[in-house]
Amino acid sequence: MDATKGESMSEGAEVVPGRWGPDRPIGIAVLGMGNVGREVVRILRDHADDLQSRVGAPLTLRGVAVRSLDRDRGVPAELLTTDAEALVARPDVDLVVEVIGGIDPARKLILAALNAGKSVVTANKALLADYTGELAAAAERSRADLYFEAAVAGAIPVVRPLIQSLSGDRVNRVVGIVNGTTNFILSAMDETGADYGDTLAEATRLGYAEADPTADVEGYDAAAKAAILASLAFHTRVTAANVYRQGIAAITSEDLETASALDCTVKLLAICERVPAGPGGPTPEEGGKERVSVRVYPALIPRKHPLAAVTGAFNAVVVEAENAGRLMFYGQGAGGAPTASAVLGDLVMAARNKFFGGRAPGESVYAELPIAPIGDTPTRYHVNLKVEDRPGVLAKVAGEFSHHGVSISTVRQEGHDDKARLVVVTHLAAEAALAETVAALSDMESVTSVTSVLRLEGTEE
Ligand code: HSE
């Protein structure tokens, strides 16, 4: 194959002389042979010729680091090793793909690669959510690349659009469904009326939920992805600890039913947005900075909202930018082949950078916006109550909302003998005021229970 084929794809770019070419491959190490690693290896093999044409030099797999050698993994035995450190250090390894997941040993191995000037492609959202600064600094020092498209929403290109396509715009908001497991569960609850426990069991049986579903259903996975998206969107370092997080384990079939009555459904949303400078702090004119709010929680959204149509295990991310307007990215957010597609896209970029002497954009955190606490981000609420059905109860319930300064938008009542279900939807309210209202309602003699409190997103006030 002719190296000039690669050269012609990058007009005017200079090939780094002598190091790589048709007969001098770019060496790849893959760390981890789970669903994604297996597919990365398959694509490298099946599309070797196309990949070579796109890069200018062959991408040659030097080795795959696995935890144990006791299984047939469909790759030649001589490529498998349990010594990931030694594989990364090999002089004929130029690029490292990390698909092990988790913090250690992934972090140590990525740092070793970057410190040795080897570019890294990773799908590791947990690591990036907390350690991007450290990894990016190592990449910067050795002039290596760190790519991570696969860390957020699997196959969906959203990292590169935020870093590159929108680098001349101002992103104001990113709202996404970034966890397929929870979206599968909530969609199924919506469609079948089944409760959370049965739906989770079905999701596990079908392989959508892991044996231990905590990271997904408690929102940790979505929070890590939200931290990465917010960092990119707002040029500010946001870690998982900065993300307000609530999972879906408390969602009931009744929540879906009352949502449906409002022509809404329930989705686990990751919301990243700019909010005004803090109350009581300096105004923008006085140098007060706007802030960043990053949160993950289940919320009602109207069925006509674009994210309501995202069902099953699919993901979608809506980006709102000052000049581009509203953009929506949709597709498969997990799975071996879709995630490997994103890894390969990064791998081709990293390999081309090696071949032509380019660099990936580094970390951009110049804005350093403060993080707004959840209490400073007013939202609309959907409050579901069981009450005694007698004269004056509705007035007393409304009185508590009013007493705490929470304005009611709509109230719906359904009677069941001498009990009634009240569904109250508020206008924008502060979290603290709503919490005080709920505490007061729970203490009322005529209120049997406050059965759920959910936020409502995607509506006009
Ligand atoms: N467990 C994730 C999901 C996929 O359910 O979307 C990997 O981030």
Side-chain angles (χ1 to χ4, degrees), residues 313-401:
F314 280 84
N315 283 192
V317 180
V318 174
V319 178
E320 291 170 16
E322 192 170 295
N323 298 297
R326 187 188 257 192
L327 306 164
M328 182 160 168
F329 304 83
Y330 168 86
Q332 298 189 67
T339 308
S341 165
V343 168
L344 262 293
D346 281 351
L347 201 52
V348 167
M349 294 302 293
R352 285 171 54 75
N353 289 344
K354 289 272 178 211
F355 192 79
F356 292 108
R359 288 284 315 280
E363 188 189 29
S364 172
V365 288
Y366 72 91
E368 293 180 344
L369 298 179
I371 307 295
I374 185 72
D376 288 6
T377 316
T379 42
R380 298 185 71 190
Y381 287 88
H382 171 271
V383 184
N384 206 328
L385 307 152
K386 286 212 169 66
V387 298
E388 308 282 338
D389 196 358
R390 22 187 190 82
V393 171
L394 180 56
K396 278 193 197 148
V397 167
E400 283 301 345
F401 280 88

Side-chain angles (χ1 to χ4, degrees), residues 123 125 150-154 177-183 208-210 215-216 221-222 225 313-315 333-335 339:
K125 70 226 143 204
V152 183
I177 293 171
V178 292
N179 183 270
T181 305
T182 47
N183 203 50
Y208 286 105
E210 309 226 4
D216 293 318
D221 175 83
K225 292 166 181 169
F314 280 84
N315 283 192
T339 308

Side-chain angles (χ1 to χ4, degrees), residues 90-108:
R90 269 172 62 160
D92 60 353
V93 164
D94 304 298
L95 302 176
V96 173
V97 175
E98 184 276 310
V99 282
I100 306 171
I103 306 301
D104 278 314
R107 173 175 166 230
K108 216 171 90 192

Side-chain angles (χ1 to χ4, degrees), residues 178-252:
V178 292
N179 183 270
T181 305
T182 47
N183 203 50
F184 178 88
I185 293 170
L186 293 172
S187 303
M189 287 175 74
D190 190 33
E191 282 159 24
T192 65
D195 71 16
Y196 172 75
D198 288 346
T199 314
L200 172 61
E202 180 68 355
T204 310
R205 195 183 65 75
L206 294 172
Y208 286 105
E210 309 226 4
D212 177 0
T214 311
D216 293 318
V217 301
E218 295 300 340
Y220 292 102
D221 175 83
K225 292 166 181 169
I228 296 169
L229 289 172
S231 302
L232 302 178
F234 307 128
H235 301 270
T236 288
R237 193 169 291 147
V238 179
T239 66
N242 299 137
V243 182
Y244 174 84
R245 177 193 52 78
Q246 204 183 312
I248 66 160
I251 300 292
T252 63

